Amino acid sequence: MTLPRKALFDLPEGVIYLNGNSLGPLPKGAAARAEDVITREWGSELIKAWNTADWMSLPTRVGDRIAGLIGAPAGSVATGDTLSIKVYQALAAALKMRPERRVILSDNGNFPTDLYMATGLISTVDKDYELRVPTPEDVAQEITDNVAVVMLTQVDYRSGRMHDMAAITAKAHAAGAVMIWDLAHSAGAIPVNLIGSNTEFAVGCTYKYLNGGPGAPAFIYARPDIIASTEPALAGWLGHEAPFAMEIGYRPAMSTERLRIGTPPIIQLSILDAALNVWKGVDMEELRTSTVALCEAFIQEIESRCPQLTLASPRNADQRGSQVSFTFEHGYAAMQALIDRGVIGDFRAPNIMRFGFTPLYIDRADVMAAINIIEEVIHDELWRDPKYQTKSRVT
Ligand SMILES: *Cc1c(COP(=O)(O)O)cnc(C)c1O
């Protein structure tokens, strides 16, 4: 089956969903799977289901499926917890690998939680660590030989600007630093070759392009050759070599399982497992070609028909992920007016209107229909309606 594969999703009528970069839509089969896990596995099997339904290995089985989408070998991806926690875990493990160095290098375009987690970790270890956040454009040249860890998000959540994973990883390694990539806006959005990049760690979430649903578990990758020496900062019992031996001392598992922490979220993991079925037979290069075509068409039409909007994403498709952003002074109100008319994107402070393009369920006709509505909202200033001016808690 080629793209799009809209039939695999439960999308509401009359909606053009351009927000899969924030929360992917509901894949068909996910609700039935949740129902089955709840009523049959949990309801009738009760605690036996840890064995009879093999709940205990579900994090690993789902991790293997994600690995296939990000160019990682089976057995190298652990799932669970949230992305914020996985950032902390990767960062703590990376710092242990360079005990003589004190600098964590990221950039000021990174998603705030990644930077907050780094700051929190620094205050916990309290050893004169420093978090440096130059601009994304400057970060490569800031990789010097006192940097312990380079921690970057590949695709910028606001602008869609994309870092060159292979080049920056190579530069980090040449300077003796450990590399961590956050794939929140990459996994399921663009082709990723983790093993080829040689990065030590990667982390990501599964509720964006992987359609795992709100609160779906995160994932963490560790390069296979370093896993046996990786020190899990968050040493939970399910990362132990033998959790049910109930030993007093911690002995990490000899596999990626050591990056597990506590009891896995079985219902969410099951939903994610079902959601991953939509990827069967998808060629990531073919997906990328479709994404670029949709984004190019969108940029071209919006720029010619809505001069009030200014492109905030890189113009060169090679430097852009799977989303297109425009700045507009009245962006929040305009986005509310669009959502009211069935075109769902989102808004990021201070003035960014964000549109995600996912060829799994968005095609050229959807993009053209969305553009017509955007033109109407902007040209006729429909966003001026007072009902679009009040900000909700989540934008
Ligand atoms: C979406 C996103 C997060 C969110 O972290 P959670 O712990 O899942 O809330 C973190 N980092 C980046 C780069 C993101 O895009």
Side-chain angles (χ1 to χ4, degrees):
M1 197 197 306
T2 52
L3 301 168
R5 28 180 74 187
K6 295 186 193 210
L8 300 185
F9 292 88
D10 263 326
L11 284 158
E13 277 300 314
V15 162
I16 302 173
Y17 196 60
L18 303 180
N19 214 350
N21 52 308
S22 214
L23 176 69
L26 175 65
K28 280 192 184 139
R33 176 70 183 274
E35 166 86 21
D36 185 55
V37 171
I38 293 169
T39 56
R40 189 178 56 82
E41 295 183 0
W42 177 22
S44 9
E45 292 289 295
L46 295 164
I47 200 165
K48 292 177 290 178
W50 283 106
N51 291 312
T52 58
D54 203 9
W55 284 349
M56 202 43 108
S57 78
L58 187 58
T60 314
R61 285 183 278 131
V62 171
D64 283 348
R65 298 186 73 185
I66 295 170
L69 295 172
I70 54 177
S76 64
V77 172
T79 56
D81 317 300
T82 69
L83 176 49
S84 303
I85 290 171
K86 288 324 200 193
V87 166
Y88 186 97
Q89 208 180 11
L91 196 51
L95 288 180
K96 289 265 187 179
M97 294 167 70
R98 293 294 179 274
E100 68 296 347
R101 297 188 181 198
R102 287 290 174 271
V103 176
I104 299 169
L105 179 67
S106 189
D107 70 48
N108 65 12
N110 205 344
F111 194 92
T113 203
D114 296 43
L115 303 178
Y116 302 161
M117 294 311 283
T119 308
L121 174 61
I122 289 173
S123 76
T124 307
V125 294
D126 194 21
K127 278 190 195 149
D128 317 318
Y129 281 103
E130 179 195 343
L131 172 65
R132 284 192 195 153
V133 285
T135 64
E137 292 71 29
D138 286 344
V139 75
Q141 70 208 46
E142 296 281 324
I143 302 174
T144 49
D145 59 13
N146 57 358
V147 172
V149 186
V150 182
M151 175 189 81
L152 295 173
T153 296
Q154 187 187 14
V155 178
D156 185 295
Y157 73 104
R158 273 183 300 217
S159 67
R161 175 203 38 74
M162 186 159 62
H163 277 306
D164 184 338
M165 180 181 281
I168 292 183
T169 307
K171 190 138 196 235
H173 289 165
V178 177
M179 188 74 222
I180 302 174
W181 284 105
D182 188 326
L183 304 179
H185 294 271
S186 309
I190 56 174
V192 176
N193 182 358
L194 277 187
I195 199 77
S197 77
N198 213 25
T199 186
E200 281 84 355
F201 297 99
V203 293
C205 54
T206 63
Y207 48 80
K208 292 172 180 163
Y209 294 95
L210 296 179
N211 313 307
F219 66 86
I220 183 167
Y221 160 88
R223 208 174 63 201
D225 63 299
I226 63 164
I227 191 66
S229 57
T230 294
E231 290 187 44
L234 299 168
W237 73 305
L238 290 186
H240 193 280
E241 173 69 8
F244 285 89
M246 302 291 176
E247 295 168 10
I248 284 298
Y250 181 73
R251 272 192 303 129
M254 289 315 291
S255 65
T256 311
E257 303 258 303
R258 70 172 55 191
L259 298 175
R260 285 172 65 165
I261 302 174
T263 304
I266 293 302
I267 297 168
Q268 286 271 198
L269 268 170
S270 304
I271 292 172
L272 173 59
D273 193 30
L276 290 170
N277 289 339
V278 305
W279 295 97
K280 278 185 188 150
V282 172
D283 172 358
M284 290 306 287
E285 296 296 339
E286 185 198 339
L287 178 110
R288 176 66 181 164
T289 303
S290 303
T291 303
V292 169
L294 296 177
C295 292
E296 295 285 314
F298 186 75
I299 291 172
Q300 192 184 335
E301 290 299 311
I302 292 292
E303 285 195 315
S304 76
R305 290 156 65 176
C306 304
Q308 300 89 334
L309 272 52
T310 307
L311 184 65
S313 299
R315 192 167 294 282
N316 180 348
D318 294 341
Q319 293 163 14
R320 212 171 47 222
S322 193
Q323 67 179 69
V324 173
S325 303
F326 281 91
T327 56
F328 177 51
E329 192 189 340
H330 309 284
Y332 182 79
M335 188 53 80
Q336 302 320 300
L338 287 178
I339 293 170
D340 218 9
R341 287 160 181 78
V343 177
I344 304 185
D346 65 9
F347 172 82
R348 284 292 174 266
N351 58 359
I352 289 189
M353 298 175 74
R354 224 169 42 149
F355 303 92
F357 295 89
T358 314
L360 290 180
Y361 50 84
I362 292 293
D363 59 21
R364 193 177 160 87
D366 296 321
V367 173
M368 292 304 151
I371 291 164
N372 288 338
I373 296 172
I374 296 169
E375 183 180 23
E376 192 193 354
V377 163
I378 300 296
H379 184 265
D380 298 346
E381 303 195 350
L382 300 177
W383 50 265
R384 287 200 186 272
D385 191 318
K387 70 179 170 185
Y388 301 135
Q389 314 304 318
T390 330
K391 270 205 183 133
S392 307
R393 190 161 172 199
V394 175
T395 64

